[in-house]
Amino acid sequence: MKFETKKSEIDEFLHIGAAIAERRQTIPILSNLKIVAKNNTVEITATDLEIQAIIKTDVNKVIEEGATTVSARKMSELCRSLPENEILEFTLVNGKLTVKSKNFHADFATLSSDDFPMLETSEESIDLSMPSSLLKRLLIKTQFCMASQDVRYYLNGLLIEHKNSKFSAVSTDGHRLALAHTELNLEGGNEIRVILPRKAVLEISKILPQDDSLVEISIGSTSVRIKQNNLDFTTKLIDGKFPDYEKVFPEGDSQNLSILKESLLSALLRASVLSNEKYKGVRFALESNLLRLTANNPEQELAEETLEVQYSGSNMEIGFNIGYLLDVLNSIENEKVELLFYNQESSCLIKEPDNNSEIYVIMPMRL
């Protein structure tokens, strides 16, 4: 195997592969990338046996076709450290992969590409397509509410659902919830309800381009495959029952508060400095057109701030986790944000004005 390429043509894809490759090295070859050179393209494959990404990139020229596997972390770090416009030459000789540039060369140990495991997806699937930027948005707007190491393993992922002509992404860690959806009609009106693993969601949302190129999605009973231009991404699904998230939304008449996002964000950041480090709580005291934020800690320190808001509901006091509020506000793009309160015991809804396709729910906490 021998090929030449610019650093810019391969660097990003090596970095993507290194993020997916298994780091714990329980099976040594899973910490490697599979590199195949043929027809003036290089195909890079990474897997941890749960998710797999295959990326093709054009290169200057393939002098000799071939395949091998090499350490994902080492190769990615080395290429990233080289100058931007460098021309790289990759050569496989006697089990060593040599990388040369103008004033540098390195020899990497390899393992045979014949031993590299690949995920197989031959099951029946429901196929659909949507713009890459739309799928990316649905994932980014909801992924921060996923649990990370919850014993309720089905929370360590993100629900993809299609019903009533809506394609939705939902995540929750049991204390907060994020929902984003878009209108999507499927032939046959098929319903979909599957859970993507946390790592798959985080990686695919980074990889997908922010453009209108179409993404093809094949959803099976045990896996999901996402194809877009030169990317072929496959993930196994979490086998579990996602909770009925619609029951999380509070019922009844809401009392709405409207405020500039930056005003609330900066006030919460100040309050967080003196909040309890363990619980990160902040108290909201609502009055007519006023919001008073209060945070304190076991050292008897206190922060209090009053903000002018648009609010005409009844007086109310309710507590929240500051971190959860900050996560939601950082996800919102509008200048204004709406908070919908129901009572002191009910969850709060947060959304952009006139946008009901992206909604966040935060449970109250006792302070």
Side-chain angles (χ1 to χ4, degrees), residues 16 61 88 158 169 172 198 202-203 256 262 313 317 342:
I16 290 169
K61 58 182 174 180
L88 307 180
L158 184 141
T172 180
R198 177 185 175 86
L202 296 177
E203 295 306 326
N256 299 0
E262 288 302 323
E317 288 197 4
Y342 294 81

Side-chain angles (χ1 to χ4, degrees), residues 18 124 337 350:
E124 288 187 16
V337 60
I350 306 177

